[in-house]
Amino acid sequence: MPAMRIFILAFAGGVWLLQQQAELPVVSRLAGFGLSALLVLGLLFRLYKKCTPRPLGASQSAGRTAIAGLLVLAGAALGFVWAASFAHLRLAVELPAAIEGRDLEVTGVVSTLPRQLERGVRFGFDVESAIAGVPPHISLAWYRGRKDAGDDAESPIPVRAGERWRFTVRLKRPHGNLNPQGFDYEAWLFEHGLRATGYVRPYGAQRIDARVWTPGYAVEMLREIIRDRFHMALPDAAYSGILVALAIGDQNAIEPKLWQTFARTGVTHLMSISGLHVTMLAGFAYLVLHWLWRRSARLPLLIPAQHAAAAGGLLTAFLYCLLAGFAVPAQRTLYMLGVVVLAKLSGREFAASRVLMAALFLVLLIDPWAVLSAGFWLSFGAVALLFQIGSGRLEAAHWLLEWGRTQWAVTLGMLPALLALFQQFSLVSPLANAVAIPLVSFVITPLALLGTLPFLSSLLTLAHFVTANLMAFIDWLANLPLAMWQQAAPPAWAVLLALAGAGWLLMPRGFPSRWLGILTFLPLLTVQPPRPTSGAAEITVLDVGQGLAIHVQTATHDLLFDTGPAFSADADSGNRIIAPYLRSKGVRALDMLVISHADKDHEGGAASVLATLPVAMLKSSLPFEHALFFQPVTYQPCLDGDHWKWDGVDFEMLHPGRVPLSRKTNDASCVLRVTASGKSMLLTSDIERVSEVALLDHHSKELAADVLTAPHHGSKTSSTPEFIAAVAPVDVIFPVGYRNRFGHPKDDVVERYVQAGVRLHRTDANGAVRVSLGGADVRIEHERQRSRRYWHSGLPN
């Protein structure tokens, strides 16, 4: 492999390695590291040239191999240092803890398209004036107050891209839920340079300037104008959001339920501005400019038509990428087109692999955090596969054979990455893409783009008609029983083995024993994550914010205790956190779902869980009229004295009794004790003082447990000294949201546990908390420690 490609791949590896670090190396060490790598790189290029004469002798061949090895080390070192330098600069901007949660006055410009929320909008904000410590780029939400819930509840909040505003805001440092195989929201914020998030206070908001004219803001203004025109042209259209996404890259315009359909059919990559769309538009611009240029008598004498058309196509691609928000697939395509155009202008021809490597290098130079995005790997991986299967062919085969070969290669080659990233892939993807790719790329997207122009809005109606018919076919495929394959997250070694096997399978015809590559996929599809042994239990308190969701797993059974809060009408802990987590653990069904009581932060995700997984039994203390009773699942009430055993692990329900203790739903909470190999954990949900007294009266001996989930998230109405003494836990877990509005856990409650000598764990500080019962000791692991990265926030005081 030529030196340039070796260096770029090594550089990319160094960038990736930096993003896996829990802490950043100090600047002085990085400087020395980078300088040494540059010196080695300079020497290597001189030595490399001396080893080029052919034929090579054995000693010279060994020398070139050694030089290539050193080139890999130097490239990886420079990639590591480059990414670390960017990271240090970004980490230097941090919101001081002292001003978190305080009312602050800020003046600045709305820097991104305002995104519609259920009760307001969210937008990026470039801070121009504020007290010391406020980062220059923040994310703000502006919610409607309760007084706005009347006739004007549907009116938009008056904020638009490019406007200068003065707000009173409350900010907090970047923080997100952290769970095994879950979405890292803090990484997303860090990549986008958002070093604080917050919300606008419902007073004192003042628009200062209606327009702030800079190139970046002008692009966002144009995107918002186009989005508004689409909504005006298609006010009640079901799929107008798809057209908006294809025209300006606003993926938030697409309803969440549609993304699930796209995932089940494997067409997600088409429903935003992809590399294929950028290439199509650039090619169309090339053809038009080439035709027009040749019609002039003078212009070809100044600049050849091919050169002018190539430059015009590249400019068109650049403008389209700006309109699209400059996502990684669009960047990759733009840089590849740029390399091709430069080659054409200089009269040189570049190999496809060199073009791809140049694009990879430019993306990582500009955005070292691109490697954190799934789109980065899928985008470059798909293009590399297309180059691989298209190389070495002397003549083109029949188009149908070429299509089949391409679909087979892309499906096979992307399978390991899809299972590693999402633990699922679409079985109907080849059929869905066979229809969707030509329609979206050559009909829907061109019509949507033409519809952005003045006086051509009528074309959007035609574009929506074609989209609606396409979606009817896509919906039919998505509803097929075997549309989607789902499984546990495969181990890294199985992913790497399958990738190597895919490369082997896709070698050119005549390569020996290509069929053996298919055997390397068997571990990827069959290896399951380890489960507890008989007599042991693994209990994971998930980080769902201000709420509760606990997964209890034995050797052959799975129980889910509560399902966390609902975030909006379309998003809740069930579909955003619990379902992906259970899928990654290889859980295909739940033996029992316990909903402790009727409270939104405990049953908010229940409907999503029931819609995602088969559930054998639902236990709860919910009132009979609750909506979950209409679900097709066997139901039993939580009752004191209920007891069962799974795989040598004892489960005992200690509360509630048959007679209500009070009118509060909290005092009807199910309380479950799990015992494995003599070690116990007590799940208390939201019980309060009156329930704790009842438990002390009826179960004083059964309350003892090694681990306790703090009652009612550590509120002042729970965790009485008598209850703590009776349980006598070694460890207590507070399931709480970061800087939650209730102030949980309360300081005096925390102090009671500290005085009792109990070790404290909290999901806002530690992420998901995993408790292993069985054996001599209870083991507790924190997800924020296990998967810590340098951008993760520190522990709250």
Side-chain angles (χ1 to χ4, degrees), residues 12 16 20 328 370-382 414 417 421:
W16 175 85
Q20 311 309 307
V328 169
V371 295
L372 300 175
S373 166
F376 171 87
W377 299 100
L378 298 178
S379 176
F380 277 99
M414 300 306 293
L421 293 169

Side-chain angles (χ1 to χ4, degrees), residues 93-131:
V93 180
E94 184 177 32
L95 182 74
I99 63 174
E100 279 190 293
R102 287 173 42 189
D103 281 358
L104 307 172
E105 186 176 277
V106 297
T107 301
V109 181
V110 179
S111 60
T112 63
L113 274 177
R115 172 191 173 190
Q116 294 299 317
L117 304 176
E118 188 174 7
R119 295 190 300 109
V121 294
R122 181 174 293 280
F123 51 91
F125 193 71
D126 288 347
V127 177
E128 297 175 324
S129 175
I131 67 170

Side-chain angles (χ1 to χ4, degrees), residues 219-220 222-223 226 247-250 273 318-326 449 452:
V219 169
E220 293 302 310
L222 177 61
R223 297 178 74 206
I226 292 173
I248 62 171
D250 181 17
I273 296 178
F318 173 71
L319 295 176
Y320 188 33
C321 288
L322 284 181
L323 199 64
F326 229 60
L449 288 172
T452 65

Side-chain angles (χ1 to χ4, degrees), residues 36-48 71 74:
S36 300
L38 286 173
L39 292 174
V40 170
L41 192 63
L43 292 173
L44 284 177
F45 274 112
R46 295 191 63 182
L47 292 173
Y48 195 78
L71 184 62

Side-chain angles (χ1 to χ4, degrees), residues 766-772 779-783 785-786:
N766 306 124
V769 180
R770 185 171 65 182
V771 180
S772 298
R779 298 192 311 277
I780 297 182
E781 296 180 356
H782 299 155
E783 183 63 22
Q785 180 179 5
R786 189 190 70 84

Side-chain angles (χ1 to χ4, degrees), residues 260-268 403 407-408 410-412 414-416 418-419 423-434 473-474 476-487 521 524-525 588:
Q260 299 176 18
T261 301
F262 300 155
R264 286 186 62 83
T265 53
V267 297
T268 302
W403 172 83
Q407 287 293 325
W408 158 255
V410 172
T411 301
L412 190 71
M414 300 306 293
L415 178 59
L418 290 171
L419 289 180
Q423 296 84 59
Q424 59 185 16
F425 70 93
S426 173
L427 295 174
V428 298
S429 174
L431 182 56
N433 279 284
F473 174 68
I474 295 298
W476 175 76
L477 287 178
N479 290 324
L480 292 176
L482 298 178
M484 177 75 76
W485 171 276
Q486 296 183 342
Q487 66 164 69
F521 282 75
L524 181 77
L525 301 174
R588 297 179 179 269

